[in-house]
Amino acid sequence: MNKRSFSTIVLTIFCLLLAGSFLTGCNTSKTQGDKPADSVTTPVPPDTNTPEPAKNSVKLTLYFPNSDATGLVPTERTVEVKEQEIIKAMFIELATPPTGLEKPLPSGTTLLEATVSTDGIATINLSKEFQKNFGGGSSGEQMTMYSIVNTLTTLSNVHSVQFLLDGVKHDGILGHLDTRDPIKRNESLIIK
C-alpha cells in the first residue's frame, strides 16, 4: 500500500469519526430539547384563599394649628385605609395641612410604630426627627403635641396618647410638656 492510499484511508476514518461524533451530538441535543429544562419554573397562581386586607373608606377629623399657634382647627378628610392602619393614615394626612394652616409634624418625622391598648392608650413611637427638627417654643410644642393627641382621640378606642421617641419614653420630648404619662385630649385648644 502506498503512502497516498494510507493517508486517504486515515483521512476517511477521521472524517467518519468526526461525522459520527457530530451526528451523535445532534441526536443528544434533540433528546435534551424534548425534555423540559430544569431552570424553567412554572408561575404559581396567587393564593385565592388568602384575600388582601380590605380597604375601607374612613372619615377622619384632623386638627391643624392655625398660623399664629393660638388654636387647633378641625379638618375632615376621607381616606382609604387597610385594617389596623388608621393611625398611620392620620400621620400621613397631618403632613399635608390645608391652605392657611400649619404642619404640626416637624420635618422628617416618621411614625415607627403605633399600638392601642385595651384600656384606650395609643402608644406612638416616633423617629428622632420629631425632636431634632422641632422649631421650638412652648406654643409651638403645645400645638404639635395636641394636634396629634386630639386627632388620635377622635378614634373611639383611643382616650389618651403615650409618646415614645425611638422606643424610649422621655420626661418632655419637645422640652416643656410632660410626656412621661399618656396625654389626654384638650378641647380648650380647638377653635370652633
Side-chain angles (χ1 to χ4, degrees), residues 23-56:
L23 291 174
T24 304
C26 288
N27 191 23
T28 303
S29 292
K30 185 177 179 190
T31 304
Q32 287 177 346
D34 292 341
K35 295 190 314 188
D38 291 340
S39 64
V40 175
T41 56
T42 306
V44 178
D47 184 3
T48 55
N49 295 329
T50 310
E52 186 175 315
K55 287 188 176 185
N56 301 317

Side-chain angles (χ1 to χ4, degrees), residues 30 47 73 76 119 151:
K30 185 177 179 190
D47 184 3
V73 179
E76 291 188 355
D119 58 348
T151 295

Side-chain angles (χ1 to χ4, degrees), residues 5-113:
S5 304
F6 180 74
S7 294
T8 304
I9 292 174
V10 170
L11 185 59
T12 304
I13 291 173
F14 177 75
C15 287
L16 288 173
L17 287 173
L18 187 61
S21 297
F22 178 76
L23 291 174
T24 304
C26 288
N27 191 23
T28 303
S29 292
K30 185 177 179 190
T31 304
Q32 287 177 346
D34 292 341
K35 295 190 314 188
D38 291 340
S39 64
V40 175
T41 56
T42 306
V44 178
D47 184 3
T48 55
N49 295 329
T50 310
E52 186 175 315
K55 287 188 176 185
N56 301 317
S57 183
V58 178
K59 189 174 188 178
L60 302 176
T61 301
L62 307 159
Y63 292 91
F64 292 94
N66 62 5
S67 59
D68 59 359
T70 58
L72 299 171
V73 179
T75 303
E76 291 188 355
R77 292 188 184 160
T78 301
V79 297
E80 294 289 320
V81 295
K82 291 181 186 175
E83 295 173 23
Q84 308 300 321
E85 291 190 358
I86 194 159
I87 293 176
K88 182 179 178 182
M90 288 175 154
F91 268 80
I92 291 169
E93 293 300 313
L94 283 173
T96 56
T99 303
L101 298 179
E102 299 299 315
K103 180 178 166 185
L105 302 175
S107 177
T109 298
T110 303
L111 176 66
L112 302 175
E113 184 180 18

Side-chain angles (χ1 to χ4, degrees), residues 9 26-27 35 43 54 88 97 106 111 115 117 130 139 144 146 164:
I9 292 174
C26 288
N27 191 23
K35 295 190 314 188
K88 182 179 178 182
L111 176 66
T115 59
S117 66
F130 181 70
S139 294
T144 294
Y146 282 105
L164 301 177

